[in-house]
């Protein structure tokens, strides 16, 4: 896509903020909408500072995706060439406890967005899907054709939204939609100025390990050491968040291809890394010892999950550049400079 005006939902969040930065550096004008449910406006301010010497700007609108009149007003005031849709809730355990909250926020939010986009003739969308739609794969690497299933309500919201997108494209070929199935995003911008700042106790490996390294938590609990993997711990495809952000620019470019309809691409590295390998890489990058405690398998966890990256390489002309050591070193750069994330200290959290 020739650079244009992009709306980014959830742009204050972890992946969103890194993508907004790459968009600005590439010359796009950006409008972020976010209700700040799981993020901080400071992230947007820092993105602005990092992109200060580049022409385009970012506007921030604190708003909920489900607020249709507000969304409608924004689309009426600005012509957007495309939308990148990150906004959503993503904690698997919480989704099991509060399924209606997840269906309302993620599915109803997306339907509201799609309706308003259609009303204003903006029919280009890049959507954040997840490797969670592969369930527990029997065969790896996962190709995009792998049968879909979801192990929890969070994963089902992604599955439902994917199906909704396929349905609207089926009856209206003006829709151009790319759904990106992320594997495990980690790391931070190399400046250490933006990064992941989850609320409460982190559910995911890297943010948890980072909090152990800065002394906020005593030890990492390793979930399961009896998997049939190299060292018995779970294997995942960790991908640097800046590579992931660049994948969105590649997807925007692809939306200009007249032959594109509704397509899905994996964004991963194609390499599997175990929990203990990740711990060793993070210890090396940070110079900190990460005490580990072994416990049983986490319910719902897959054993081995990594991506086939062929389709994205071939059709999006995109490939991840960063390796595990760089992911850990950038994660540590962010963590050591911002031990309490965007908050000045734990007392303000
Ligand atoms: P995040 O929580 O950091 O960002 C999501 C943002 O959306 C937050 O800033 C939140 O405040 C906002 N938001 C949520 N509901 C909203 C609503 N109704 N209206 C407006 N704003 C709302 O999460 P992230 O890691 O940046 O993930 C971005 C997207 O990628 C999500 O859809 C997530 O499901 C998907 N995804 C993430 C991962 C991962 O491991 N981080 C993996 C696969 C897919
Ligand atoms: C999890 C979700 C997945 C979601 C993704 C991104 C589950 C079952 N899966 O994926 O649906 O798309 O997050 O939000 O929750 N681990 C530990 N100790 C920890 C944390 C994790 O050992 O404290 C292990 C896990 O068992 C796994 C690996 O580290 O083997 C990665 O875990 P995590 O970062 O939570 O990602 P996923 O499980 O891949």
């Amino acid at each position: 896509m020739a650079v244009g005006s992009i709306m980014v939902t959830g742009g204050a969040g972890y992946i969103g903020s890194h993508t907004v930065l790459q968009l600005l550096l590439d010359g796009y004008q950006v409008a972020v909408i976010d209700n700040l449910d799981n993020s901080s406006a400071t992230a947007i301010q820092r993105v602005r500072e990092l992109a200060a010497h580049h022409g385009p700007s970012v506007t921030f609108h604190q708003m909920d995706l489900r607020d249709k009149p507000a969304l409608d007003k924004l689309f009426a005031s600005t012509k957007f060439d495309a939308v990148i849709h990150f906004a959503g809730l993503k904690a698997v355990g919480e989704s099991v406890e509060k399924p209606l909250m997840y269906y309302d926020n993620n599915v109803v939010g997306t339907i509201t967005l799609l309706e308003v986009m259609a009303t204003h003739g903006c029919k280009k969308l890049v959507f954040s899907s997840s490797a969670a739609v592969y369930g527990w794969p029997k065969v790896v690497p996962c190709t995009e054709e792998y049968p879909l299933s979801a192990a929890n309500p969070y994963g089902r919201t992604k599955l439902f939204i994917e199906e909704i997108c396929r349905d609207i494209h089926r009856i209206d070929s003006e829709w151009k939609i790319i759904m990106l199935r992320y594997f495990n995003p980690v790391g931070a911008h190399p400046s250490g100025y933006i990064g992941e700042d989850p609320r409460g106790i982190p559910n995911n490996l890297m943010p948890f390990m980072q909090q152990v390294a800065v002394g906020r938590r005593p030890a990492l609990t390793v979930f399961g050491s009896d998997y049939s993997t190299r060292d018995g711990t779970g294997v995942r495809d960790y991908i640097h968040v800046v590579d992931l952000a660049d994948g969105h620019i590649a997807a925007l470019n692809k939306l200009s291809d007249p032959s594109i309809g509704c397509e899905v691409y994996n964004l991963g590295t194609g390499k599997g890394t175990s929990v203990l390998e990740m711990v060793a890489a993070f210890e090396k990058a940070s110079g900190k010892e990460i005490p580990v405690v072994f416990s049983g398998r986490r319910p719902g966890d897959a054993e081995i999950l990594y991506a086939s990256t062929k389709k994205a390489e071939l059709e999006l002309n995109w490939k991840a550049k960063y390796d595990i050591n760089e992911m850990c070193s950038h994660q540590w750069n962010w963590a050591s400079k911002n031990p309490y994330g965007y908050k000045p200290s734990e007392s303000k959290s």
Side-chain angles (χ1 to χ4, degrees), residues 23 59 81 103 108 128 134 137 143 157 171 200 222 225 240 242 244 255 270 276 281 321 334 348:
L23 285 167
T59 57
D81 296 299
Y103 292 126
V108 174
S128 302
Y134 294 125
T143 66
T157 68
I171 46 113
V222 175
S225 51
H240 197 296
V242 174
L244 198 66
L255 285 179
L276 291 181
K321 294 189 285 286
W334 153 253
K348 304 247 168 104

Side-chain angles (χ1 to χ4, degrees), residues 92 130 184 203-205 221-223 236 238 275 298 301:
V92 170
S130 168
N184 290 61
N203 299 301
N204 299 116
L205 177 65
T221 304
V222 175
F223 300 134
R236 294 291 183 275
Y238 298 94
V275 176
R298 182 171 62 178
D301 261 354

Side-chain angles (χ1 to χ4, degrees), residues 32-52:
V32 166
I33 73 154
D34 199 301
N35 63 6
L36 301 184
D37 186 74
N38 193 38
S39 53
S40 158
T42 309
I44 296 294
Q45 187 45 38
R46 293 199 180 178
V47 166
R48 268 198 196 106
E49 289 167 29
L50 286 169

Side-chain angles (χ1 to χ4, degrees), residues 62-117:
Q62 186 172 349
M63 130 189 352
D64 194 289
L65 202 55
R66 293 158 295 177
D67 184 347
K68 199 171 185 181
L71 203 57
D72 193 62
K73 205 166 148 200
L74 188 57
F75 271 87
S77 69
T78 314
K79 187 189 168 301
F80 296 111
D81 296 299
V83 173
I84 305 183
H85 176 32
F86 293 105
L89 300 174
K90 61 166 186 177
V92 170
E94 186 184 53
S95 82
V96 174
E97 297 302 318
K98 300 176 181 169
L100 290 180
M101 186 168 103
Y102 271 67
Y103 292 126
D104 183 41
N105 194 84
N106 294 5
V107 182
V108 174
T110 303
I111 292 172
T112 309
L113 174 69
L114 293 171
E115 284 173 345
V116 175
M117 287 175 70

Side-chain angles (χ1 to χ4, degrees), residues 203-205 208-209 212 217-224 233 275-276 279 290-298 301:
N203 299 301
N204 299 116
L205 177 65
F208 198 101
M209 190 149 62
V212 174
R217 306 197 183 274
L220 171 76
T221 304
V222 175
F223 300 134
T233 64
V275 176
L276 291 181
V279 171
I290 306 291
V292 299
V293 175
F294 289 94
S295 84
R297 296 179 178 194
R298 182 171 62 178
D301 261 354

Side-chain angles (χ1 to χ4, degrees), residues 261-312:
C262 181
E263 272 302 336
V264 57
Y265 296 97
N266 287 339
L267 293 187
T269 63
K271 295 184 186 78
T273 305
S274 75
V275 176
L276 291 181
E277 286 165 348
M278 211 57 185
V279 171
F282 195 74
E283 284 184 327
K284 192 170 149 219
S286 64
K288 302 275 177 190
E289 190 201 341
I290 306 291
V292 299
V293 175
F294 289 94
S295 84
R297 296 179 178 194
R298 182 171 62 178
D301 261 354
E303 184 166 59
I304 305 181
L305 194 59
Y306 59 90
S308 161
T309 57
K310 280 200 190 111
K311 189 176 175 195

Side-chain angles (χ1 to χ4, degrees), residues 14-30:
Y14 173 44
I15 307 170
S17 56
H18 287 81
T19 304
V20 171
L21 177 59
Q22 296 309 106
L23 285 167
L24 294 174
L25 298 181
D26 273 24
Y28 290 90
Q29 291 286 343
V30 181

